[in-house]
């Protein structure tokens, strides 16, 4: 008998009528011959209300008690949903996270799932029940209630679908599916029929709140096809599946993280281990760091800038104060009024001009780019928060995301690679003792790269565009781009990598532009180390473990970029092999 997991989000269970309508959907699925597990979120904005309530009592409530409180939201809705099913004359049993054996680690408010025992759920299903499972919660080894992080019910649903080997996982929500960007921000956003796991993972982690990013890690690891659809219509929605890179457009979606904050640690001694000392303290607090940019050092000191979620700023600054003391850095600055706009697309990995187009669109909207980081499948720019929506609109327009790509129909849902391996085979291959454990796929060394660095770049709208247009016109393939902020005297610096044999062409072109850079430098003596896997940015430990492994070898990190698929670091060429060996040793146990 086939098994289906249906998840209903907050708006889909916001009122008694909506709960009844969700219950009908579950009953219909059972009548069609499926065993049905229903995962529910707290009603409406209940989680927000509970957080408000807690803050009225204590503005920094203990995380354990927070989870005790927040889990009640889902407990209310499972009970009501089960009552609704009974009312229509069918059998249902509600279960909390603990009752269905969802074991997590003990990082309260952002716990990761370790194991799920399926026996009880299976028994209840076999006895003809619809099982109503509380989303977003679990229990640690000491029976403390934990929660998985905001939006975590999606992760509960996909995790249950994975371990139960479900035939389908349907996410019912308040929009018709996955759009090219948040349709509430841009009405011109277009709903997609299909999107790949990799793109959805990256978009979710960069602000597309329609799916919890960690649910996509599960889906990709365990090959769970997901359908995102509306609770309020019968429209088919969007499928999230595995799609080959060759069938992907350069940019398939755009996302905004409106509540971002930027921190710059100034005057960090430019020697091995310093970044590690700083980022380790953030990772210990499970703060996800993004857009890490290091100015190429002046007088043996560097400025390191990065972004974090704005609601973690207080905690992050505590970590930074310690880090500044330990490293002997000169100080730090921060900006809590910034937003991050990103574009994502699997096809951008082998296309030139994508970055330039994004910079050009922001320039013509008169928006200054404060920081830039790129990786194989995404480009992020940091802008002032007041310009966030305008920035999103500009890039959405520039890549014509409102228009369906011409070849989009060629890749049909039936061809999408869903379920090539049975879930149980995959679960067997991966660790059963830790479902959300880090999964690494490859560690590699690329030696034929060169680095180009422009120092003293005037911080004005449009400059990044001009630089990359000239470079692209000369046929140079630009890979990692990072642009820092907060430079000296209103200046920034831009570094990027190019193929070794194109470095001199690139330097020539830049020398002739007539822009007043203080310095144009380049080095072919670099090596790029890459660690690839699933969910690498949200597993904060990966970049940290890389920093540590390299620091222990006395190797200096020159550039870094991160995405959910890969963390790349650029180091000096002479250190390449030693760096590779250090990473292989560090990550030996995590490779699958
Ligand atoms: P639920 O309570 O059902 O989990 P969420 O509020 O978590 O619902 O997610 C749905 C919301 O995600 C939509 O209302 C929409 O505003 C927002 N969203 C953000 N990015 C996207 C996107 N790319 N596609 C669709 N919705 C998006
Ligand atoms: N109720 C939780 C939240 O609002 C979990 C979820 O809805 O996915 O974040
Ligand atoms: Mg959600």
């Amino acid at each position: 008998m086939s098994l289906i997991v249906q998840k209903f989000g907050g708006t889909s269970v916001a009122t008694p009528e909506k709960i009844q309508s969700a219950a009908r959907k579950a009953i219909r699925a059972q009548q069609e011959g499926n065993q049905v597990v229903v995962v529910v979120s707290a009603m409406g904005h209940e989680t927000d209300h509970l957080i408000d309530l807690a803050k009225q009592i204590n503005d920094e409530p203990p995380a354990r008690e927070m989870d005790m409180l927040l889990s009640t939201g889902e407990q209310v809705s499972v009970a009501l949903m089960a009552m609704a099913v009974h009312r229509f004359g069918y059998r249902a049993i509600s279960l909390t996270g603990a009752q269905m054996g969802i074991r997590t680690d003990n990082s309260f408010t952002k716990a990761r799932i370790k194991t799920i025992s399926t026996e009880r759920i299976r028994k209840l299903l076999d006895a003809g029940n619809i099982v109503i499972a509380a989303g977003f919660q679990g229990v640690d080894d000491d029976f403390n209630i934990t929660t998985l992080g905001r939006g975590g019910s999606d992760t509960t649903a996909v995790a249950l679908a994975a371990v139960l080997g479900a035939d389908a996982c349907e996410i019912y929500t308040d929009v018709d599916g996955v759009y090219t960007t948040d349709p509430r921000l841009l009405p011109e956003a277009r709903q997609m029929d299909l999107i790949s796991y990799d793109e959805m993972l990256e978009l979710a982690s960069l602000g597309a709140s329609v799916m919890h990013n960690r649910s996509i890690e599960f889906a990709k690891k365990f090959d769970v096809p997901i359908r995102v659809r509306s609770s309020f219509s019968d429209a088919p929605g969007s499928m999230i599946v595995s799609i080959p890179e060759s069938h992907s457009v350069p940019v398939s979606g755009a996302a905004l993280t409106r509540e971002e904050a930027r921190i710059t640690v100034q005057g960090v001694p430019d020697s091995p281990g310093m970044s590690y000392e700083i980022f380790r303290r953030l990772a210990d607090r499970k703060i996800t760091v993004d857009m890490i940019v290091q100015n190429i050092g002046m007088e043996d000191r560097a400025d390191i800038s990065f972004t974090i979620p704005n609601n973690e700023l207080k905690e992050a600054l505590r970590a930074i104060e310690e880090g500044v003391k330990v490293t002997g850095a000169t100080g730090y600055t921060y900006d809590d009024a910034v937003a991050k706009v990103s574009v994502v697309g699997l096809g951008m990995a082998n296309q030139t001009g994508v970055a330039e187009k994004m910079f050009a669109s922001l320039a013509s909207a008169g928006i200054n780019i404060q920081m830039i980081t790129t990786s194989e499948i995404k480009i992020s720019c940091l802008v002032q928060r007041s310009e966030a929506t305008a920035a999103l609109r500009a890039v959405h327009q520039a890549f014509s995301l409102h228009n369906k790509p011409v070849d989009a129909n060629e890749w049909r849902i039936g061809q999408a690679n869903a379920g090539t391996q049975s879930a149980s085979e995959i679960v067997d291959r991966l660790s059963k003792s830790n479902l959300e454990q880090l999964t690494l796929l490859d560690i590699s060394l690329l030696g034929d790269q060169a680095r180009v660095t422009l120092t003293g770049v005037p911080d004005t709208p449009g400059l990044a565009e001009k630089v990359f247009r000239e470079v692209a016109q000369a046929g140079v393939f630009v890979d990692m781009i990072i642009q820092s902020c907060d430079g000296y005297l209103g200046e920034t610096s831009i570094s990027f990598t190019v193929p070794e044999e194109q470095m001199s062409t690139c330097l020539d072109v830049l020398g002739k532009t007539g822009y007043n850079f203080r310095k144009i430098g380049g080095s072919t003596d670099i090596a790029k180390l890459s660690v690839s896997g699933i969910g690498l940015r949200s597993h904060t430990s990966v970049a940290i473990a890389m920093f540590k492994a390299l620091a222990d070898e006395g190797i200096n990190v020159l550039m870094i970029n991160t995405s959910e698929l890969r963390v790349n670091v650029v180091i000096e060429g002479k250190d390449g092999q030693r760096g590779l060996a250090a990473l292989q040793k560090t990550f030996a146990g995590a490779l699958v």
Side-chain angles (χ1 to χ4, degrees):
M1 193 185 242
S2 54
L3 194 155
I4 175 166
V5 174
Q6 298 184 324
K7 178 248 167 184
F8 294 90
T11 12
S12 310
V13 293
T15 61
E17 295 71 34
K18 286 181 175 166
I19 292 179
Q20 288 176 335
S21 133
R24 279 195 203 95
K25 279 195 157 68
I27 293 168
R28 201 192 314 155
Q30 194 189 43
Q31 285 178 326
E32 284 165 2
N34 302 294
Q35 292 194 320
V36 183
V37 175
V38 177
V39 175
V40 279
S41 293
M43 293 172 72
H45 296 288
E46 182 58 17
T47 310
D48 293 332
H49 295 152
L50 292 170
I51 292 172
D52 272 359
L53 193 58
K55 298 256 151 110
Q56 286 177 40
I57 303 229
N58 178 344
D59 64 2
E60 287 191 59
R64 180 191 180 279
E65 304 312 326
M66 207 58 196
D67 280 358
M68 182 67 107
L69 179 70
L70 296 189
S71 66
T72 62
E74 271 68 13
Q75 195 169 331
V76 169
S77 32
V78 281
L80 295 175
M81 180 69 77
M83 292 175 193
V85 174
H86 280 274
R87 143 95 199 267
F88 294 126
Y90 294 83
R91 298 173 63 181
I93 295 255
S94 63
L95 297 174
T96 64
Q99 288 173 328
M100 56 186 148
I102 298 193
R103 287 289 178 133
T104 70
D105 64 19
N106 63 358
S107 25
F108 297 111
T109 75
K110 32 180 117 164
R112 281 186 179 267
I113 298 176
K114 294 203 305 196
T115 57
I116 302 180
S117 48
T118 50
E119 275 157 59
R120 185 167 187 187
I121 298 180
R122 283 211 189 278
K123 245 191 224 152
L124 291 168
L125 288 171
D126 290 343
N129 294 285
I130 294 179
V131 172
I132 318 285
F136 174 60
Q137 54 177 264
V139 67
D140 75 4
D141 289 341
D142 297 321
F143 296 99
N144 296 301
I145 295 178
T146 55
T147 66
L148 310 181
R150 295 306 306 270
S153 296
D154 298 326
T155 297
T156 307
V158 181
L160 285 172
V163 294
L164 292 167
D167 301 278
C169 181
E170 299 185 327
I171 305 290
Y172 285 92
T173 184
D174 58 0
V175 282
D176 279 343
V178 179
Y179 282 68
T180 47
T181 196
D182 188 342
R184 290 185 208 286
L185 289 177
L186 298 191
E188 65 267 36
R190 177 179 49 82
Q191 194 223 314
M192 293 184 266
D193 299 336
L194 269 185
I195 179 166
S196 68
Y197 290 136
D198 288 341
E199 288 164 314
M200 190 67 236
L201 178 55
E202 203 60 50
L203 282 170
S205 128
L206 293 168
S209 54
V210 62
M211 290 299 294
H212 192 225
N213 59 336
R214 281 164 41 198
S215 70
I216 311 298
E217 285 181 36
F218 260 103
K220 179 172 174 174
K221 268 203 236 180
F222 298 100
D223 218 355
V224 180
I226 299 176
R227 185 185 295 281
V228 181
R229 61 195 306 186
S230 167
S231 281
F232 314 121
S233 81
D234 283 325
S238 307
M239 290 296 296
I240 309 173
V241 289
S242 144
I243 300 175
E245 194 180 304
S246 54
H247 285 78
S248 301
V249 288
V251 171
S252 59
L256 186 64
T257 313
R258 187 181 292 276
E259 293 296 323
E260 195 82 340
R262 188 263 310 153
I263 299 180
T264 301
V265 185
Q266 297 165 310
V268 182
D270 194 9
S271 56
M274 293 296 129
S275 311
Y276 169 65
E277 284 300 338
I278 290 167
F279 292 119
R280 167 169 91 89
R281 290 177 165 73
L282 295 162
D284 284 348
R285 292 165 166 88
K286 300 252 176 352
I287 298 175
T288 307
V289 173
D290 194 28
M291 294 191 84
I292 304 171
V293 168
Q294 180 173 335
N295 273 5
I296 298 299
M298 287 178 110
E299 294 146 14
D300 290 333
R301 288 193 175 246
D303 288 354
I304 300 177
S305 299
F306 52 89
T307 64
I308 52 158
N310 197 28
N311 62 3
E312 301 193 286
L313 182 62
K314 239 191 200 168
E315 185 74 22
L317 291 179
R318 276 199 281 267
I320 292 307
E321 272 160 20
E322 283 172 31
V324 165
K325 272 199 208 114
V326 173
T327 56
T330 52
Y332 67 86
T333 62
Y334 67 88
D335 185 348
D336 58 3
V338 288
K340 178 173 69 186
V341 58
S342 310
V343 296
V344 170
L346 273 185
M348 84 172 63
N350 29 33
Q351 285 239 353
T352 54
V354 180
E356 177 212 330
K357 201 172 194 175
M358 177 164 185
F359 306 152
S361 69
L362 294 172
S364 51
I367 295 168
N368 194 30
I369 306 174
Q370 302 185 4
M371 273 166 85
I372 300 169
T373 55
T374 67
S375 79
E376 283 75 3
I377 71 157
K378 71 118 208 279
I379 305 167
S380 295
C381 294
L382 197 72
V383 301
Q384 236 177 19
R385 188 168 306 137
S386 58
E387 297 180 324
T389 311
L392 183 68
R393 173 161 293 126
V395 302
H396 196 271
Q397 172 75 34
F399 292 101
S400 301
L401 295 180
H402 50 283
N403 292 327
K404 198 168 184 152
V406 232
D407 59 353
N409 289 329
E410 285 172 19
W411 186 251
R412 289 253 150 246
I413 292 178
Q415 288 173 286
N417 173 27
T420 43
Q421 280 171 292
S422 79
S424 59
E425 275 167 19
I426 304 173
V427 177
D428 278 345
R429 190 160 48 84
L430 294 163
S431 166
K432 267 193 186 143
S433 60
N434 198 347
L435 292 167
E436 278 199 79
Q437 97 173 1
L438 176 62
T439 306
L440 292 187
L441 304 170
D442 188 39
I443 299 172
S444 63
L445 168 69
L446 212 66
D448 52 359
Q449 296 270 297
R451 171 178 58 80
V452 175
T453 298
L454 308 173
T455 343
V457 180
D459 189 10
T460 49
L463 217 103
E465 177 222 343
K466 291 194 188 103
V467 166
F468 290 105
R469 190 177 44 208
E470 310 252 5
V471 171
Q473 275 167 2
V476 174
F477 192 93
V478 174
D479 185 17
M480 257 168 110
I481 301 175
I482 58 178
Q483 181 205 304
S484 67
C485 64
D486 223 23
Y488 299 86
L489 316 165
E491 298 169 345
T492 70
S493 71
I494 299 180
S495 294
F496 51 94
T497 58
V498 297
E500 198 170 56
E501 68 279 4
Q502 292 190 317
M503 185 183 82
S504 59
T505 317
C506 185
L507 292 179
D508 275 357
V509 171
L510 291 169
K512 287 187 197 131
T513 54
Y515 302 132
N516 265 342
F517 305 128
R518 198 175 29 234
K519 196 171 143 212
I520 303 176
S523 164
T524 51
D525 189 23
I526 62 160
K528 185 165 129 187
L529 288 170
S530 298
V531 173
S532 60
I534 305 173
L536 299 196
R537 178 148 16 91
S538 26
H539 277 272
T540 45
S541 56
V542 182
I544 301 310
M546 285 175 84
F547 282 137
K548 171 145 177 40
L550 297 172
D552 287 349
E553 281 290 316
I555 296 172
N556 213 0
V557 174
L558 303 173
M559 289 166 80
I560 174 160
N561 70 7
T562 60
S563 70
E564 291 290 7
L565 300 185
R566 198 163 295 164
V567 179
N568 296 310
V569 296
V570 170
I571 58 177
E572 281 174 40
K574 66 173 172 43
D575 296 328
Q577 285 301 340
R578 232 160 23 96
L580 179 66
L583 295 187
Q584 279 165 339
K585 196 166 130 217
T586 297
F587 293 117
L591 278 169
V592 292

